[in-house]
Amino acid sequence: MKFWIDEITRTVLKKFPHRVKDIVNSYDPKKIHAKTLLVDKIQYLQLRGNLPNPHISIIGGWYGNILIPLLNKHIDYKKIDFYEIDEEAIKIAKNYFFKGIDNINYKLQDATQVEFSGNSKLIINTSGEHMKPLNIKSGILAIQSNDYTIIKDHINCVKNVDELINQYKFKENKIWEKISTRYDTYNRFTVLGRI
């Protein structure tokens, strides 16, 4: 899926000039590639019958401007709980990128303080390096993190995909995907499986 600066994004950039760098960064090709890879794997899982019409929790959703369109295009789901600690990012997502879409429930909340459970729930976190591990009792987790330790906000990097698996205590026989992707200056790790 290709992304470009469309009319909505132009409006957001004009109304929130202090966020231009951050919003442009959300369209970074590496971020788009990683999220596309993840959604492709989720779609494959759904086509196999392992993930019928889930309730999705997106953790650290940022603006949602990449992940939500990918989910809308490729995944059948009931609704999205969108967790984000940045109030202005939620405002931008809710009032601009996804205005009028009523199956997204925005939660201005630190998701690391929430207990997640439910075998049919899909928890997606594409920014595991930015936060402590989530408290997941049960469910399907799609998690991404990296080894890019030189970024100040990356407080929870992992050295490899196996460290990410151990951090979240995935069930051994329920890891459906584990992927390491090399980018210019870091590796991004993706795991999809059941907790």
Side-chain angles (χ1 to χ4, degrees):
M1 179 178 270
K2 291 188 177 184
F3 290 87
W4 60 92
I5 304 299
D6 58 17
E7 201 56 46
I8 293 171
T9 306
R10 278 193 208 99
T11 299
V12 170
L13 294 174
K14 286 177 188 171
K15 291 194 178 231
F16 300 88
H18 58 287
R19 303 217 51 150
V20 166
K21 186 176 179 183
D22 196 50
I23 292 165
V24 169
N25 184 31
S26 73
Y27 287 101
D28 179 283
K30 293 183 286 295
K31 290 178 175 64
I32 294 171
H33 176 265
K35 288 175 174 68
T36 302
L37 173 70
L38 184 66
V39 172
D40 285 349
K41 299 305 180 183
I42 293 169
Q43 181 185 34
Y44 176 71
L45 189 64
Q46 191 166 67
L47 291 172
R48 281 184 10 200
N50 293 43
L51 192 61
N53 202 23
H55 178 144
I56 298 175
S57 293
I58 295 176
I59 311 303
W62 208 5
Y63 305 106
N65 53 328
I66 305 303
L67 186 57
I68 291 174
L70 286 167
L71 291 170
N72 286 342
K73 184 173 182 182
H74 299 289
I75 307 299
D76 292 324
Y77 64 89
K78 290 178 184 161
K79 68 175 186 172
I80 291 174
D81 286 334
F82 185 92
Y83 290 86
E84 176 56 58
I85 60 170
D86 182 334
E87 187 172 4
E88 194 168 50
I90 285 182
K91 177 181 177 183
I92 291 168
K94 183 177 183 178
N95 297 321
Y96 294 92
F97 288 121
F98 307 106
K99 185 176 182 178
I101 297 177
D102 60 2
N103 67 341
I104 303 174
N105 183 20
Y106 297 93
K107 295 177 178 276
L108 180 63
Q109 190 172 5
D110 180 352
T112 64
Q113 303 300 311
V114 176
E115 181 180 296
F116 294 92
S117 64
N119 286 331
S120 62
K121 290 189 177 173
L122 171 62
I123 302 143
I124 300 175
N125 183 357
T126 61
S127 53
E129 67 275 11
H130 285 275
M131 64 191 76
K132 299 182 304 184
L134 301 168
N135 180 9
I136 304 172
K137 297 302 181 191
S138 62
I140 295 168
L141 176 62
I143 178 81
Q144 291 183 324
S145 189
N146 64 40
D147 60 3
Y148 202 25
T149 57
I150 64 169
I151 303 295
K152 180 183 168 189
D153 292 340
H154 288 186
I155 62 163
N156 188 31
C157 290
V158 291
K159 293 181 182 124
N160 54 50
V161 71
D162 290 322
E163 186 176 338
L164 185 59
I165 288 167
N166 291 334
Q167 192 176 75
Y168 277 92
K169 298 177 177 58
F170 281 88
K171 294 181 179 176
E172 274 187 45
N173 60 343
K174 294 292 184 178
I175 298 170
W176 296 306
E177 296 288 344
K178 67 177 202 174
I179 303 163
S180 298
T181 307
R182 179 69 189 166
Y183 295 115
D184 294 341
T185 53
Y186 65 93
N187 295 292
R188 178 157 283 281
F189 310 113
T190 301
V191 183
L192 176 57
R194 186 172 287 286
I195 302 288

